[in-house]
Amino acid sequence: MITLVPSFEKIIKSFAIDTSGVMLVVLLSIPMSDPPYLRGALIGAAFIGFYFFPYFLSNGQTFGKRVEKIKVVDASGVDARIWRLLLRQLFMLVASIITFGIYFIVCFFFLNEKKGNRLPHDYIFRTRIIDIDPPKRGTRGDDGFNSTDSMRKRGF
Protein backbone atom coordinates (compact mmCIF):
# COMPACT_ATOMS: atom_id res chain seq x y z
CA MET A 1 0.00 0.00 0.00
CA ILE A 2 1.56 3.26 -1.14
CA THR A 3 0.61 6.22 1.01
CA LEU A 4 1.49 9.70 -0.07
CA VAL A 5 2.38 12.39 2.38
CA PRO A 6 0.12 15.42 2.36
CA SER A 7 1.50 18.84 1.60
CA PHE A 8 2.23 21.28 4.39
CA GLU A 9 -0.64 23.39 3.05
CA LYS A 10 -3.12 20.56 3.64
CA ILE A 11 -1.83 20.10 7.17
CA ILE A 12 -2.11 23.82 7.94
CA LYS A 13 -5.55 24.06 6.31
CA SER A 14 -6.84 21.24 8.49
CA PHE A 15 -5.55 22.98 11.62
CA ALA A 16 -7.03 26.29 10.41
CA ILE A 17 -10.46 24.69 9.96
CA ASP A 18 -10.43 23.37 13.53
CA THR A 19 -9.12 26.67 14.89
CA SER A 20 -11.77 28.60 12.97
CA GLY A 21 -14.47 26.56 14.69
CA VAL A 22 -13.04 27.38 18.10
CA MET A 23 -12.63 31.06 17.22
CA LEU A 24 -16.22 31.25 15.99
CA VAL A 25 -17.43 30.03 19.38
CA VAL A 26 -15.09 32.50 21.11
CA LEU A 27 -16.48 35.40 19.08
CA LEU A 28 -20.08 34.32 19.63
CA SER A 29 -19.49 34.00 23.38
CA ILE A 30 -18.16 37.55 23.82
CA PRO A 31 -21.59 39.12 24.54
CA MET A 32 -22.45 36.40 27.07
CA SER A 33 -21.92 37.67 30.59
CA ASP A 34 -24.66 36.05 32.64
CA PRO A 35 -23.91 33.64 34.31
CA PRO A 36 -20.23 34.58 34.58
CA TYR A 37 -18.88 31.05 34.06
CA LEU A 38 -20.89 30.43 30.85
CA ARG A 39 -18.34 32.02 28.49
CA GLY A 40 -15.43 30.00 29.88
CA ALA A 41 -17.43 26.79 29.83
CA LEU A 42 -18.50 27.38 26.24
CA ILE A 43 -14.97 28.16 25.08
CA GLY A 44 -13.62 25.11 26.90
CA ALA A 45 -16.28 22.92 25.33
CA ALA A 46 -15.43 24.30 21.88
CA PHE A 47 -11.72 23.71 22.48
CA ILE A 48 -12.32 20.09 23.47
CA GLY A 49 -15.03 19.63 20.85
CA PHE A 50 -12.92 20.75 17.89
CA TYR A 51 -9.43 19.62 18.90
CA PHE A 52 -9.89 16.43 20.95
CA PHE A 53 -13.38 14.89 20.78
CA PRO A 54 -13.27 14.13 17.01
CA TYR A 55 -10.46 11.63 17.64
CA PHE A 56 -12.97 9.51 19.56
CA LEU A 57 -15.38 9.54 16.62
CA SER A 58 -12.90 8.99 13.80
CA ASN A 59 -9.53 7.57 14.72
CA GLY A 60 -6.79 9.90 13.53
CA GLN A 61 -8.99 12.68 12.20
CA THR A 62 -10.40 15.94 13.45
CA PHE A 63 -13.04 17.77 11.44
CA GLY A 64 -10.36 19.73 9.58
CA LYS A 65 -8.42 16.57 8.74
CA ARG A 66 -11.61 14.96 7.42
CA VAL A 67 -12.24 17.92 5.14
CA GLU A 68 -8.66 17.84 3.85
CA LYS A 69 -8.73 14.01 3.62
CA ILE A 70 -5.65 13.45 5.75
CA LYS A 71 -5.19 11.24 8.79
CA VAL A 72 -2.73 10.83 11.67
CA VAL A 73 -1.45 7.28 11.97
CA ASP A 74 1.28 5.46 13.85
CA ALA A 75 4.79 5.74 12.38
CA SER A 76 4.38 2.21 11.02
CA GLY A 77 1.20 3.18 9.16
CA VAL A 78 -1.43 1.53 11.37
CA ASP A 79 -4.09 3.42 13.31
CA ALA A 80 -2.51 5.23 16.25
CA ARG A 81 -3.74 4.72 19.78
CA ILE A 82 -6.12 7.36 21.08
CA TRP A 83 -3.88 8.43 23.96
CA ARG A 84 -1.02 9.06 21.51
CA LEU A 85 -3.28 11.18 19.28
CA LEU A 86 -4.56 13.21 22.22
CA LEU A 87 -1.09 13.83 23.66
CA ARG A 88 0.20 14.77 20.20
CA GLN A 89 -2.61 17.27 19.75
CA LEU A 90 -2.13 18.70 23.24
CA PHE A 91 1.61 19.11 22.72
CA MET A 92 1.06 20.86 19.37
CA LEU A 93 -1.51 23.27 20.83
CA VAL A 94 0.56 24.10 23.91
CA ALA A 95 3.72 24.59 21.83
CA SER A 96 1.91 26.89 19.40
CA ILE A 97 0.29 28.93 22.18
CA ILE A 98 3.47 29.27 24.26
CA THR A 99 5.53 30.36 21.24
CA PHE A 100 2.78 32.61 19.84
CA GLY A 101 2.66 30.58 16.62
CA ILE A 102 6.41 30.49 16.01
CA TYR A 103 6.21 26.71 16.48
CA PHE A 104 4.42 26.47 13.12
CA ILE A 105 7.25 28.35 11.41
CA VAL A 106 9.66 25.82 12.91
CA CYS A 107 7.39 23.05 11.61
CA PHE A 108 7.50 24.52 8.12
CA PHE A 109 11.30 24.46 8.03
CA PHE A 110 11.37 21.06 9.69
CA LEU A 111 9.49 19.39 6.85
CA ASN A 112 11.12 17.53 4.05
CA GLU A 113 9.07 15.66 1.44
CA LYS A 114 11.64 12.86 1.29
CA LYS A 115 11.35 12.17 5.01
CA GLY A 116 7.58 11.78 5.03
CA ASN A 117 6.38 15.23 6.11
CA ARG A 118 6.79 14.47 9.79
CA LEU A 119 6.50 17.43 12.11
CA PRO A 120 8.44 17.71 15.39
CA HIS A 121 5.45 16.47 17.40
CA ASP A 122 5.17 13.50 15.02
CA TYR A 123 8.72 12.47 15.87
CA ILE A 124 8.05 12.87 19.59
CA PHE A 125 4.87 10.76 19.54
CA ARG A 126 5.97 8.39 16.73
CA THR A 127 3.17 9.32 14.35
CA ARG A 128 2.88 10.57 10.81
CA ILE A 129 0.23 12.14 8.61
CA ILE A 130 -0.98 10.35 5.50
CA ASP A 131 -3.04 11.55 2.56
CA ILE A 132 -6.18 9.41 2.36
CA ASP A 133 -7.23 10.70 -1.05
CA PRO A 134 -4.13 11.94 -2.90
CA PRO A 135 -4.70 14.27 -5.85
CA LYS A 136 -5.02 12.55 -9.20
CA ARG A 137 -3.31 14.52 -11.92
CA GLY A 138 -4.59 14.51 -15.45
CA THR A 139 -8.05 13.29 -14.54
CA ARG A 140 -11.24 14.91 -15.67
CA GLY A 141 -11.73 16.88 -12.44
CA ASP A 142 -8.24 18.39 -12.50
CA ASP A 143 -8.73 22.06 -13.33
CA GLY A 144 -5.05 23.02 -13.08
CA PHE A 145 -5.37 25.18 -9.98
CA ASN A 146 -3.10 22.87 -8.03
CA SER A 147 -0.04 23.67 -10.17
CA THR A 148 1.71 26.81 -11.34
CA ASP A 149 1.80 27.99 -14.94
CA SER A 150 5.43 26.96 -15.35
CA MET A 151 4.60 23.48 -14.03
CA ARG A 152 1.71 23.11 -16.49
CA LYS A 153 3.98 24.13 -19.38
CA ARG A 154 6.41 21.39 -18.40
CA GLY A 155 3.63 18.81 -18.20
CA PHE A 156 3.41 18.49 -14.42
Side-chain angles (χ1 to χ4, degrees):
M1 178 178 153
I2 298 174
T3 56
L4 295 175
V5 294
S7 65
F8 184 68
E9 289 81 17
K10 273 185 135 177
I11 297 168
I12 289 298
K13 281 185 205 175
S14 72
F15 182 71
I17 290 169
D18 296 332
T19 303
S20 296
V22 173
M23 288 298 115
L24 182 64
V25 173
V26 168
L27 291 174
L28 292 175
S29 68
I30 289 174
M32 296 180 189
S33 61
D34 194 36
Y37 59 85
L38 181 63
R39 183 183 310 154
L42 192 60
I43 292 171
F47 194 84
I48 291 168
F50 280 97
Y51 290 128
F52 298 103
F53 184 69
Y55 285 121
F56 290 102
L57 301 176
S58 177
N59 193 13
Q61 290 183 303
T62 60
F63 180 68
K65 287 179 180 63
R66 287 184 76 111
V67 170
E68 289 298 316
K69 297 181 181 169
I70 60 177
K71 182 177 182 178
V72 180
V73 295
D74 194 73
S76 63
V78 298
D79 284 345
R81 294 186 181 255
I82 190 75
W83 63 268
R84 187 175 289 180
L85 295 172
L86 296 175
L87 286 175
R88 175 190 177 275
Q89 187 78 1
L90 182 66
F91 177 85
M92 180 187 66
L93 291 170
V94 169
S96 65
I97 291 169
I98 288 174
T99 63
F100 300 102
I102 295 173
Y103 177 72
F104 292 121
I105 296 170
V106 171
C107 288
F108 176 76
F109 290 112
F110 199 82
L111 290 179
N112 186 345
E113 295 285 336
K114 296 174 186 157
K115 292 185 179 180
N117 260 3
R118 291 180 70 193
L119 301 167
H121 48 273
D122 287 323
Y123 282 104
I124 293 169
F125 294 100
R126 293 182 303 234
T127 58
R128 65 185 175 122
I129 300 176
I130 61 169
D131 208 341
I132 295 172
D133 187 27
K136 294 157 188 71
R137 302 219 182 247
T139 59
R140 216 163 186 260
D142 187 13
D143 56 6
F145 283 116
N146 54 358
S147 60
T148 63
D149 190 40
S150 64
M151 290 175 68
R152 283 193 297 274
K153 287 178 183 176
R154 293 180 186 155
F156 294 113

